[in-house]
Amino acid sequence: MPAERTWLGALDVQAGLVTTGQVTKLIPFGAFIRIADGIEGLVHNTQFRDEPVEDPGQIVSEGDEITVRIVEVDLVHRRLALSARNLPQSGKRST
């Protein structure tokens, strides 16, 4: 297994995959989502809905579980670009 793939472990992560994850951190330009132990990706403010949001806190809170689509896998920089656009959400909010 190439070194770049080891951070994903046995997880089969590829662009187009739809999965659920937990919001771990809100930042001014998006939210980090954990899709598996040790694997997080970013949903940019432009990827929550068709119109960009100014504050990700308008859409999600830390601890929320949301459905995301993997848009891009960057093995070299160990980054996942995620999108929540046009995906049904369970609405499970943290308490």
Side-chain angles (χ1 to χ4, degrees):
M1 178 180 299
E4 293 85 14
R5 294 260 335 142
T6 59
W7 73 281
L8 294 175
L11 193 63
D12 184 22
V13 174
Q14 56 189 343
L17 179 72
V18 175
T19 187
T20 58
Q22 184 176 32
V23 178
T24 59
K25 184 176 183 180
L26 299 178
I27 54 177
F29 54 87
F32 284 98
I33 314 298
R34 180 183 307 121
I35 62 168
D37 286 342
I39 309 294
E40 292 190 6
L42 175 70
V43 176
H44 191 271
N45 285 350
T46 60
Q47 295 297 315
F48 281 105
R49 30 173 86 147
D50 289 336
E51 310 83 32
V53 297
E54 289 189 27
D55 176 10
Q58 297 171 317
I59 307 295
V60 294
S61 300
E62 288 184 18
D64 286 356
E65 189 171 295
I66 67 169
T67 302
V68 294
R69 177 180 294 108
I70 298 172
V71 177
E72 182 181 356
V73 179
D74 182 342
L75 294 175
V76 174
H77 296 104
R78 296 182 176 198
R79 295 180 182 161
L80 294 178
L82 307 174
S83 176
R85 289 171 70 175
N86 302 317
L87 293 173
Q89 299 298 327
S90 66
K92 183 179 177 186
R93 301 286 294 190
S94 60
T95 53

